[in-house]
PDB file of all heavy atoms in Angstrom:
ATOM      1  N   LEU N   6      10.496   6.285  13.380  1.00  0.00           N
ATOM      2  CA  LEU N   6      10.188   7.596  13.940  1.00  0.00           C
ATOM      3  C   LEU N   6       9.966   8.693  12.895  1.00  0.00           C
ATOM      4  O   LEU N   6       9.757   9.832  13.265  1.00  0.00           O
ATOM      5  CB  LEU N   6      11.327   8.026  14.881  1.00  0.00           C
ATOM      6  CG  LEU N   6      11.600   7.080  16.039  1.00  0.00           C
ATOM      7  CD1 LEU N   6      12.814   7.546  16.835  1.00  0.00           C
ATOM      8  CD2 LEU N   6      10.387   6.954  16.936  1.00  0.00           C
ATOM      9  N   PHE N  10      10.665  13.886   8.617  1.00  0.00           N
ATOM     10  CA  PHE N  10       9.566  14.826   8.827  1.00  0.00           C
ATOM     11  C   PHE N  10       9.361  15.211  10.282  1.00  0.00           C
ATOM     12  O   PHE N  10       8.804  16.264  10.565  1.00  0.00           O
ATOM     13  CB  PHE N  10       8.263  14.231   8.273  1.00  0.00           C
ATOM     14  CG  PHE N  10       8.334  13.971   6.804  1.00  0.00           C
ATOM     15  CD1 PHE N  10       8.394  12.681   6.326  1.00  0.00           C
ATOM     16  CD2 PHE N  10       8.364  15.015   5.902  1.00  0.00           C
ATOM     17  CE1 PHE N  10       8.463  12.433   4.963  1.00  0.00           C
ATOM     18  CE2 PHE N  10       8.444  14.782   4.541  1.00  0.00           C
ATOM     19  CZ  PHE N  10       8.501  13.483   4.072  1.00  0.00           C
ATOM     20  N   ARG N  18       6.000   4.730  14.572  1.00  0.00           N
ATOM     21  CA  ARG N  18       4.798   4.502  13.771  1.00  0.00           C
ATOM     22  C   ARG N  18       5.037   3.316  12.853  1.00  0.00           C
ATOM     23  O   ARG N  18       6.173   3.007  12.506  1.00  0.00           O
ATOM     24  CB  ARG N  18       4.479   5.730  12.918  1.00  0.00           C
ATOM     25  CG  ARG N  18       4.172   6.958  13.735  1.00  0.00           C
ATOM     26  CD  ARG N  18       3.984   8.145  12.808  1.00  0.00           C
ATOM     27  NE  ARG N  18       3.920   9.367  13.560  1.00  0.00           N
ATOM     28  CZ  ARG N  18       2.805  10.031  13.811  1.00  0.00           C
ATOM     29  NH1 ARG N  18       1.654   9.584  13.369  1.00  0.00           N
ATOM     30  NH2 ARG N  18       2.832  11.151  14.492  1.00  0.00           N
ATOM     31  N   LYS N  47      16.634   6.185   8.205  1.00  0.00           N
ATOM     32  CA  LYS N  47      17.577   7.300   8.268  1.00  0.00           C
ATOM     33  C   LYS N  47      16.858   8.590   7.910  1.00  0.00           C
ATOM     34  O   LYS N  47      15.765   8.567   7.334  1.00  0.00           O
ATOM     35  CB  LYS N  47      18.777   7.079   7.354  1.00  0.00           C
ATOM     36  CG  LYS N  47      18.484   7.163   5.876  1.00  0.00           C
ATOM     37  CD  LYS N  47      19.768   6.974   5.085  1.00  0.00           C
ATOM     38  CE  LYS N  47      19.742   7.807   3.817  1.00  0.00           C
ATOM     39  NZ  LYS N  47      20.988   7.738   3.076  1.00  0.00           N
ATOM     40  N   PHE N  49      16.531  11.840   5.684  1.00  0.00           N
ATOM     41  CA  PHE N  49      16.906  12.291   4.353  1.00  0.00           C
ATOM     42  C   PHE N  49      16.916  13.815   4.322  1.00  0.00           C
ATOM     43  O   PHE N  49      16.172  14.465   5.063  1.00  0.00           O
ATOM     44  CB  PHE N  49      15.927  11.739   3.310  1.00  0.00           C
ATOM     45  CG  PHE N  49      16.070  10.256   3.112  1.00  0.00           C
ATOM     46  CD1 PHE N  49      15.360   9.366   3.909  1.00  0.00           C
ATOM     47  CD2 PHE N  49      16.939   9.751   2.159  1.00  0.00           C
ATOM     48  CE1 PHE N  49      15.506   8.003   3.750  1.00  0.00           C
ATOM     49  CE2 PHE N  49      17.098   8.388   1.996  1.00  0.00           C
ATOM     50  CZ  PHE N  49      16.384   7.513   2.789  1.00  0.00           C
ATOM     51  N   ASP N  53      12.001  14.888  -1.409  1.00  0.00           N
ATOM     52  CA  ASP N  53      12.315  14.319  -2.719  1.00  0.00           C
ATOM     53  C   ASP N  53      13.356  13.206  -2.613  1.00  0.00           C
ATOM     54  O   ASP N  53      13.259  12.189  -3.302  1.00  0.00           O
ATOM     55  CB  ASP N  53      12.805  15.400  -3.686  1.00  0.00           C
ATOM     56  CG  ASP N  53      11.686  16.324  -4.142  1.00  0.00           C
ATOM     57  OD1 ASP N  53      10.504  15.900  -4.093  1.00  0.00           O
ATOM     58  OD2 ASP N  53      11.987  17.459  -4.549  1.00  0.00           O
ATOM     59  N   LEU N  64      11.608  -1.350  -5.707  1.00  0.00           N
ATOM     60  CA  LEU N  64      12.290  -2.267  -6.632  1.00  0.00           C
ATOM     61  C   LEU N  64      12.919  -3.430  -5.871  1.00  0.00           C
ATOM     62  O   LEU N  64      12.825  -4.586  -6.303  1.00  0.00           O
ATOM     63  CB  LEU N  64      13.350  -1.512  -7.435  1.00  0.00           C
ATOM     64  CG  LEU N  64      12.831  -0.483  -8.440  1.00  0.00           C
ATOM     65  CD1 LEU N  64      14.005   0.261  -9.081  1.00  0.00           C
ATOM     66  CD2 LEU N  64      11.969  -1.140  -9.494  1.00  0.00           C
ATOM     67  N   ASN N  65      13.543  -3.145  -4.738  1.00  0.00           N
ATOM     68  CA  ASN N  65      14.144  -4.201  -3.919  1.00  0.00           C
ATOM     69  C   ASN N  65      13.074  -5.141  -3.372  1.00  0.00           C
ATOM     70  O   ASN N  65      13.267  -6.355  -3.333  1.00  0.00           O
ATOM     71  CB  ASN N  65      14.963  -3.606  -2.779  1.00  0.00           C
ATOM     72  CG  ASN N  65      16.233  -2.938  -3.270  1.00  0.00           C
ATOM     73  OD1 ASN N  65      16.754  -3.277  -4.320  1.00  0.00           O
ATOM     74  ND2 ASN N  65      16.721  -1.974  -2.511  1.00  0.00           N
TER      75      ASN N  65
END
Side-chain angles (χ1 to χ4, degrees):
L6 301 175
F10 299 109
R18 297 175 190 256
K47 70 178 214 176
F49 290 88
D53 288 337
L64 292 176
N65 290 335

